Amino acid sequence: IGDVHGQTDKLRIVLQKLQRLPDYQDRWIVFIGDLVDRGPDPCSAIEIVVQLLKEHERTTAIAGNHELAMAAAIKLVNTPSYSDWEQRWVAHYGSEQTFDSYGAQFGDLDDLKKKVPDEHQQFLAEVPWSVEHPDFFFVHAGLNPNQSFKIQRSILRERDFSLNRPEWLCSKSLVHSLPPDDCPQVVISGHVQVPQVQFSSRKILIDTTGGFGGDLSCVLLP
């Protein structure tokens, strides 16, 4: 499921369609990141995913740059002081909708943290940076074509918060780059809005809203 960005009406439609599939209980559901910011109800978007994690055990999600920014800004994860996620998230990420959805004063990070439920905080603090499948590799922005897949996979598994802007979550240049040659899986990513889902032999791009309109896309993989 592509970048949700608080668009809960669209997300509910996608989930209703999934739940009507005859093999729904056997399917894994993977959220590609960016549940929060820009759209009308980021709080409810996280709540839907948190509840789905309980009700449908084969559900997982990966962090987008917006989850990283929010988690770092309200100090749910430890990031370098020079990253300045507090200022960056408030000023540049469309976070006003996130504050509003939690009933917090815009820009007041302490107020927001108090109003984010414990389950949401735990989700934001623990959400992985990638999800691995024998045939597919899910990562929010993509992989660096010029770096070993094994090295990148190790950093993603570890979630190296010492990096200023982890490129696999934040870099727009990776979105349209092919995976490195030693990557054996098809890479699934979002992060940058595309007019429609883009399929190639090595990569699938699934963010068709960017939080700005358009349909929310869900790709059914074999």
Side-chain angles (χ1 to χ4, degrees):
I1 297 176
D3 303 30
V4 174
H5 282 300
Q7 299 169 111
T8 53
D9 290 346
K10 296 177 182 182
L11 177 57
R12 289 188 180 99
I13 291 170
V14 167
L15 292 176
Q16 287 167 5
K17 290 184 176 183
L18 283 177
Q19 289 160 1
R20 290 198 291 267
L21 295 174
D23 61 348
Y24 171 72
Q25 292 302 328
D26 297 323
R27 280 191 175 273
W28 279 91
I29 299 173
V30 183
F31 289 88
I32 205 69
D34 282 4
L35 298 170
V36 300
D37 299 337
R38 293 184 183 164
D41 198 354
C43 172
S44 291
I46 292 184
E47 181 63 22
I48 289 170
V49 175
V50 166
Q51 292 305 314
L52 197 61
L53 286 164
K54 297 176 184 177
E55 298 164 6
H56 186 85
E57 292 184 356
R58 295 186 174 196
T59 300
T60 188
I62 56 175
N65 56 315
H66 287 259
E67 280 77 45
L68 171 65
M70 180 180 177
I74 61 175
K75 295 183 168 41
L76 300 177
V77 295
N78 293 319
T79 55
S81 58
Y82 56 78
S83 293
D84 193 21
W85 281 113
E86 296 93 333
Q87 189 276 334
R88 189 185 299 177
W89 181 56
V90 170
H92 302 295
Y93 273 67
S95 61
E96 186 170 359
Q97 288 86 341
T98 300
F99 281 87
D100 186 61
S101 71
Y102 282 102
Q105 180 67 35
F106 179 56
D108 189 333
L109 294 167
D110 291 333
D111 183 37
L112 176 63
K113 187 171 185 178
K114 291 175 185 175
K115 290 176 177 175
V116 174
D118 291 344
E119 282 190 321
H120 292 205
Q121 292 194 30
Q122 182 179 0
F123 171 81
L124 290 165
E126 297 178 358
V127 64
W129 285 10
S130 62
V131 165
E132 301 173 41
H133 176 275
D135 298 318
F136 305 103
F137 192 86
F138 301 84
V139 59
H140 181 65
L143 295 175
N144 188 326
N146 302 312
Q147 187 177 37
S148 161
F149 171 65
K150 291 183 178 179
I151 291 174
Q152 296 183 74
R153 181 179 62 186
S154 177
I155 295 169
L156 289 163
R157 286 175 173 176
E158 178 188 345
R159 298 194 310 159
D160 187 353
F161 289 107
S162 69
L163 297 169
N164 182 31
R165 290 182 77 250
E167 60 181 336
W168 311 274
L169 280 67
C170 300
S171 174
K172 292 184 178 180
S173 67
L174 297 188
V175 171
H176 296 286
S177 299
L178 289 177
D181 290 339
D182 63 335
C183 176
Q185 295 128 309
V186 176
V187 173
I188 319 292
S189 58
H191 187 49
V192 170
Q193 184 178 4
V194 290
Q196 60 187 22
V197 175
Q198 296 186 3
F199 295 92
S200 71
S201 60
R202 303 193 63 207
K203 190 157 191 182
I204 302 175
L205 302 178
I206 64 172
D207 176 16
T208 52
T209 82
F212 300 116
D215 292 328
L216 177 65
S217 290
C218 173
V219 175
L220 302 184
L221 299 169

